[in-house]
Amino acid sequence: MKVLQVSFHTWLTMALLSPTCHAFAIGKHLTSHGTSTLISSSSPTISEKFSPKTASFPLYLANHSSKLGSRAPPPGPLRRQFPQFPWERLPNWLTYMRCLAIPGLAFLFYLPQQHTATTFLFAMASITDWWDGYLARRWDITSDFGAFLDPVADKLMVSTALILLSGRYGAIVGLPSAIILAREIAVSALREWMAQRGQRDAVQVGFQGKVKTALTMVALTMLLLVDKTKSGAFASLYFPAMLMLYACMIITVTSGSVYFRAAAPIFFRKDETRNSAKNKGDDNLKSL
């Protein structure tokens, strides 16, 4: 047994020392010939042996630097499991799915005894409204097209649900729906006008706007879950859903006024510039 241990230790020592001795011998040989190169150019260097090109890195690390932004975090279990999936397109795909859910929402709404399925579809579409923006920011893949399409899909979905519920419940839903839709159209026109003048940042979505959107989706989800006869297991949700809808109407008006107050200086500045140009033109005519 001792003989085996001594043999093993001897072999291990020779294995560790042989590369060093070999390199020393080569260096001594090359130095004796007056050369300064210790290793041939054809021999692979240490950096080449352990470079990322030849090292066996996991596949998800190789694909991680592909299409996501530079500030994207390391991939999680799902992205490691499916590294070839085009994850950079997922936020836009979720927005497309929300747009495609609108016809399905209208179709299910008028089918008998399908209020649960209608509610489920609307709730899933509402979740994607938060999810696509979260993924785009987390993966650093925000785009101008996504920033344009996301609020459009949101407004189309909410508008469709408001119109459908107004037809079911009448004026009690129609009144807040009209105010909410009028505000959305006015604010959208204001943002477009401000964007043409390079001042879109002045009317960015604020905290009240985010609260309004979340509260509106929760209220509409609850109203869709109630049967049109206001009976059944979810009938008790009708009254709190109505309270939330009218609260959304109030927040809609107040948040919309914030946007118009922020844009007011640009309105007045434009009018002052136009008046000064007109006065200057009148003075030039008088001087003639």
Side-chain angles (χ1 to χ4, degrees), residues 4-18:
L4 292 176
Q5 290 180 353
V6 172
S7 301
F8 175 75
H9 287 301
T10 304
W11 174 83
L12 183 61
T13 304
M14 293 298 295
L16 292 174
L17 293 179
S18 58

PDB file of all heavy atoms in Angstrom, residues 4-18:
ATOM      1  N   LEU A   4       2.257   1.919  -3.398  1.00  0.00           N
ATOM      2  CA  LEU A   4       1.284   2.556  -4.288  1.00  0.00           C
ATOM      3  C   LEU A   4       1.174   4.043  -4.010  1.00  0.00           C
ATOM      4  O   LEU A   4       1.086   4.871  -4.922  1.00  0.00           O
ATOM      5  CB  LEU A   4      -0.081   1.875  -4.143  1.00  0.00           C
ATOM      6  CG  LEU A   4      -0.171   0.439  -4.651  1.00  0.00           C
ATOM      7  CD1 LEU A   4      -1.549  -0.148  -4.366  1.00  0.00           C
ATOM      8  CD2 LEU A   4       0.113   0.398  -6.152  1.00  0.00           C
ATOM      9  N   GLN A   5       1.162   4.431  -2.708  1.00  0.00           N
ATOM     10  CA  GLN A   5       1.068   5.848  -2.366  1.00  0.00           C
ATOM     11  C   GLN A   5       2.290   6.605  -2.859  1.00  0.00           C
ATOM     12  O   GLN A   5       2.196   7.698  -3.401  1.00  0.00           O
ATOM     13  CB  GLN A   5       0.927   5.997  -0.845  1.00  0.00           C
ATOM     14  CG  GLN A   5      -0.423   5.513  -0.318  1.00  0.00           C
ATOM     15  CD  GLN A   5      -0.513   5.682   1.189  1.00  0.00           C
ATOM     16  OE1 GLN A   5       0.472   6.027   1.835  1.00  0.00           O
ATOM     17  NE2 GLN A   5      -1.698   5.436   1.730  1.00  0.00           N
ATOM     18  N   VAL A   6       3.481   6.016  -2.660  1.00  0.00           N
ATOM     19  CA  VAL A   6       4.704   6.683  -3.131  1.00  0.00           C
ATOM     20  C   VAL A   6       4.694   6.822  -4.637  1.00  0.00           C
ATOM     21  O   VAL A   6       5.070   7.854  -5.200  1.00  0.00           O
ATOM     22  CB  VAL A   6       5.946   5.905  -2.646  1.00  0.00           C
ATOM     23  CG1 VAL A   6       7.207   6.481  -3.294  1.00  0.00           C
ATOM     24  CG2 VAL A   6       6.034   5.965  -1.130  1.00  0.00           C
ATOM     25  N   SER A   7       4.234   5.801  -5.342  1.00  0.00           N
ATOM     26  CA  SER A   7       4.173   5.847  -6.805  1.00  0.00           C
ATOM     27  C   SER A   7       3.211   6.919  -7.284  1.00  0.00           C
ATOM     28  O   SER A   7       3.479   7.648  -8.242  1.00  0.00           O
ATOM     29  CB  SER A   7       3.766   4.469  -7.354  1.00  0.00           C
ATOM     30  OG  SER A   7       4.684   3.488  -6.943  1.00  0.00           O
ATOM     31  N   PHE A   8       2.072   6.997  -6.595  1.00  0.00           N
ATOM     32  CA  PHE A   8       1.082   8.009  -6.982  1.00  0.00           C
ATOM     33  C   PHE A   8       1.629   9.415  -6.772  1.00  0.00           C
ATOM     34  O   PHE A   8       1.496  10.286  -7.634  1.00  0.00           O
ATOM     35  CB  PHE A   8      -0.204   7.802  -6.181  1.00  0.00           C
ATOM     36  CG  PHE A   8      -1.234   8.868  -6.422  1.00  0.00           C
ATOM     37  CD1 PHE A   8      -1.976   8.893  -7.595  1.00  0.00           C
ATOM     38  CD2 PHE A   8      -1.440   9.868  -5.481  1.00  0.00           C
ATOM     39  CE1 PHE A   8      -2.914   9.882  -7.814  1.00  0.00           C
ATOM     40  CE2 PHE A   8      -2.372  10.848  -5.693  1.00  0.00           C
ATOM     41  CZ  PHE A   8      -3.118  10.860  -6.865  1.00  0.00           C
ATOM     42  N   HIS A   9       2.244   9.663  -5.633  1.00  0.00           N
ATOM     43  CA  HIS A   9       2.806  10.980  -5.364  1.00  0.00           C
ATOM     44  C   HIS A   9       3.925  11.312  -6.349  1.00  0.00           C
ATOM     45  O   HIS A   9       4.067  12.459  -6.783  1.00  0.00           O
ATOM     46  CB  HIS A   9       3.339  11.043  -3.930  1.00  0.00           C
ATOM     47  CG  HIS A   9       2.241  11.105  -2.893  1.00  0.00           C
ATOM     48  ND1 HIS A   9       1.305  12.115  -2.860  1.00  0.00           N
ATOM     49  CD2 HIS A   9       1.940  10.265  -1.865  1.00  0.00           C
ATOM     50  CE1 HIS A   9       0.463  11.913  -1.844  1.00  0.00           C
ATOM     51  NE2 HIS A   9       0.826  10.784  -1.231  1.00  0.00           N
ATOM     52  N   THR A  10       4.710  10.331  -6.703  1.00  0.00           N
ATOM     53  CA  THR A  10       5.776  10.564  -7.677  1.00  0.00           C
ATOM     54  C   THR A  10       5.220  10.935  -9.039  1.00  0.00           C
ATOM     55  O   THR A  10       5.681  11.867  -9.702  1.00  0.00           O
ATOM     56  CB  THR A  10       6.663   9.308  -7.800  1.00  0.00           C
ATOM     57  OG1 THR A  10       7.165   8.972  -6.496  1.00  0.00           O
ATOM     58  CG2 THR A  10       7.823   9.545  -8.744  1.00  0.00           C
ATOM     59  N   TRP A  11       4.182  10.189  -9.434  1.00  0.00           N
ATOM     60  CA  TRP A  11       3.542  10.490 -10.742  1.00  0.00           C
ATOM     61  C   TRP A  11       2.917  11.870 -10.749  1.00  0.00           C
ATOM     62  O   TRP A  11       3.030  12.624 -11.715  1.00  0.00           O
ATOM     63  CB  TRP A  11       2.488   9.425 -11.026  1.00  0.00           C
ATOM     64  CG  TRP A  11       1.684   9.721 -12.265  1.00  0.00           C
ATOM     65  CD1 TRP A  11       2.004   9.459 -13.544  1.00  0.00           C
ATOM     66  CD2 TRP A  11       0.423  10.384 -12.300  1.00  0.00           C
ATOM     67  NE1 TRP A  11       1.044   9.894 -14.388  1.00  0.00           N
ATOM     68  CE2 TRP A  11       0.041  10.485 -13.649  1.00  0.00           C
ATOM     69  CE3 TRP A  11      -0.428  10.904 -11.318  1.00  0.00           C
ATOM     70  CZ2 TRP A  11      -1.146  11.066 -14.042  1.00  0.00           C
ATOM     71  CZ3 TRP A  11      -1.609  11.500 -11.707  1.00  0.00           C
ATOM     72  CH2 TRP A  11      -1.957  11.576 -13.053  1.00  0.00           C
ATOM     73  N   LEU A  12       2.242  12.250  -9.666  1.00  0.00           N
ATOM     74  CA  LEU A  12       1.604  13.559  -9.583  1.00  0.00           C
ATOM     75  C   LEU A  12       2.638  14.685  -9.630  1.00  0.00           C
ATOM     76  O   LEU A  12       2.452  15.702 -10.303  1.00  0.00           O
ATOM     77  CB  LEU A  12       0.777  13.651  -8.297  1.00  0.00           C
ATOM     78  CG  LEU A  12      -0.025  14.953  -8.083  1.00  0.00           C
ATOM     79  CD1 LEU A  12      -1.029  15.135  -9.214  1.00  0.00           C
ATOM     80  CD2 LEU A  12      -0.728  14.908  -6.737  1.00  0.00           C
ATOM     81  N   THR A  13       3.751  14.488  -8.936  1.00  0.00           N
ATOM     82  CA  THR A  13       4.805  15.504  -8.941  1.00  0.00           C
ATOM     83  C   THR A  13       5.400  15.668 -10.330  1.00  0.00           C
ATOM     84  O   THR A  13       5.633  16.787 -10.803  1.00  0.00           O
ATOM     85  CB  THR A  13       5.896  15.118  -7.947  1.00  0.00           C
ATOM     86  OG1 THR A  13       5.316  14.940  -6.655  1.00  0.00           O
ATOM     87  CG2 THR A  13       6.973  16.197  -7.883  1.00  0.00           C
ATOM     88  N   MET A  14       5.617  14.569 -11.020  1.00  0.00           N
ATOM     89  CA  MET A  14       6.172  14.647 -12.370  1.00  0.00           C
ATOM     90  C   MET A  14       5.191  15.301 -13.327  1.00  0.00           C
ATOM     91  O   MET A  14       5.578  16.046 -14.227  1.00  0.00           O
ATOM     92  CB  MET A  14       6.527  13.228 -12.863  1.00  0.00           C
ATOM     93  CG  MET A  14       7.677  12.586 -12.087  1.00  0.00           C
ATOM     94  SD  MET A  14       9.217  13.521 -12.271  1.00  0.00           S
ATOM     95  CE  MET A  14       9.491  13.292 -14.021  1.00  0.00           C
ATOM     96  N   ALA A  15       3.904  15.007 -13.128  1.00  0.00           N
ATOM     97  CA  ALA A  15       2.893  15.599 -14.020  1.00  0.00           C
ATOM     98  C   ALA A  15       2.807  17.100 -13.841  1.00  0.00           C
ATOM     99  O   ALA A  15       2.573  17.843 -14.798  1.00  0.00           O
ATOM    100  CB  ALA A  15       1.525  14.958 -13.751  1.00  0.00           C
ATOM    101  N   LEU A  16       2.986  17.555 -12.598  1.00  0.00           N
ATOM    102  CA  LEU A  16       2.917  18.987 -12.344  1.00  0.00           C
ATOM    103  C   LEU A  16       4.178  19.713 -12.776  1.00  0.00           C
ATOM    104  O   LEU A  16       4.137  20.858 -13.234  1.00  0.00           O
ATOM    105  CB  LEU A  16       2.644  19.256 -10.855  1.00  0.00           C
ATOM    106  CG  LEU A  16       1.267  18.835 -10.333  1.00  0.00           C
ATOM    107  CD1 LEU A  16       1.192  19.029  -8.823  1.00  0.00           C
ATOM    108  CD2 LEU A  16       0.171  19.648 -11.022  1.00  0.00           C
ATOM    109  N   LEU A  17       5.330  19.070 -12.608  1.00  0.00           N
ATOM    110  CA  LEU A  17       6.595  19.727 -12.895  1.00  0.00           C
ATOM    111  C   LEU A  17       7.020  19.611 -14.343  1.00  0.00           C
ATOM    112  O   LEU A  17       7.831  20.412 -14.822  1.00  0.00           O
ATOM    113  CB  LEU A  17       7.702  19.159 -12.002  1.00  0.00           C
ATOM    114  CG  LEU A  17       7.568  19.450 -10.504  1.00  0.00           C
ATOM    115  CD1 LEU A  17       8.720  18.804  -9.746  1.00  0.00           C
ATOM    116  CD2 LEU A  17       7.561  20.957 -10.258  1.00  0.00           C
ATOM    117  N   SER A  18       6.496  18.627 -15.081  1.00  0.00           N
ATOM    118  CA  SER A  18       6.971  18.403 -16.443  1.00  0.00           C
ATOM    119  C   SER A  18       6.671  19.568 -17.373  1.00  0.00           C
ATOM    120  O   SER A  18       7.515  19.943 -18.189  1.00  0.00           O
ATOM    121  CB  SER A  18       6.374  17.101 -17.009  1.00  0.00           C
ATOM    122  OG  SER A  18       4.965  17.154 -16.995  1.00  0.00           O
TER     123      SER A  18
END
